Amino acid sequence: MDFYDVVSTRRSVRAYLDRNISDEVFLRILNAGRSAPSARNLQNWKCVVVREPATREALAEASEQKWMRQAPVIVAVVGTSGRTMFCGVEADAVDCSIAIDHMILAATAEGLGSCWIGHFDQDRCRELLNVPADAKIIEMFTLGYARDLPSNRQPRKPLDDIMSWETFHNGL
């Protein structure tokens, strides 16, 4: 699939088939995340791959999103540095988001569905996944073969509404 087709066809999938992902496909997806850039190339993040049904169920409860339990895989991406970049932005949030996006786009290219999960109880999920106190789950995402692929993407703002040339302006 062409890169721009991948970007334009990616959807947030919340209904999955009961079908396993082959190790070969899954490793390609994880390697796409591993190849993502990170601040100073420190790669200060870990992926916790959850296939166990009881843990997926508990993560779905801690996220208040019951549909998550039907996904064959939930991946939690954990920032481990706690560092702030020179620009004042939290490095873990940026680095983990880039890695997640690489994995989600790779999953789309492989014919899989996914959905970013930002609504979850941090403390409960950290406990479930044994994430240490000095690390933070930045985001989670579900992964699997879509039962139903949403046909229409929500409308996006026009390009002129989200960008400006040379200096910031808010369009007012």
Side-chain angles (χ1 to χ4, degrees), residues 40-85:
R40 298 171 55 200
N41 196 34
L42 294 175
Q43 302 169 46
N44 285 324
W45 52 271
K46 301 270 187 198
C47 286
V48 180
V49 178
V50 180
R51 291 181 169 172
E52 162 59 39
T55 307
R56 291 191 337 254
E57 172 81 26
L59 289 170
E61 290 296 322
S63 301
E64 299 177 346
Q65 300 185 65
K66 294 182 188 290
W67 63 266
M68 287 173 58
R69 64 185 111 165
Q70 66 180 283
V73 177
I74 298 173
V75 179
V77 182
V78 179
T80 61
S81 79
R83 291 184 333 93
T84 300
M85 295 185 293

Side-chain angles (χ1 to χ4, degrees), residues 126-171:
R126 286 172 57 185
E127 178 184 323
L128 288 165
L129 301 176
N130 200 31
V131 173
D134 61 346
K136 183 188 295 183
I137 301 170
I138 301 299
E139 292 282 330
M140 295 189 293
F141 65 94
T142 55
L143 194 60
Y145 290 95
R147 181 182 313 140
D148 301 305
L149 189 60
S151 58
N152 295 322
R153 173 179 265 175
Q154 294 294 321
R156 298 298 192 242
K157 292 180 179 180
L159 191 56
D160 287 342
D161 287 358
I162 62 168
M163 58 89 49
S164 59
W165 296 97
E166 309 304 334
T167 62
F168 181 89
H169 82 81
N170 62 11

Side-chain angles (χ1 to χ4, degrees), residues 7-41:
V7 170
S8 67
T9 60
R10 191 224 52 89
R11 301 286 186 272
S12 294
V13 173
R14 292 180 179 85
Y16 295 93
L17 296 173
D18 185 17
R19 179 177 167 196
N20 288 329
I21 302 166
S22 76
D23 289 341
E24 181 180 320
V25 167
F26 197 65
L27 288 174
R28 281 197 300 264
I29 293 166
L30 291 174
N31 273 308
R34 187 175 61 87
S35 69
S38 64
R40 298 171 55 200
N41 196 34

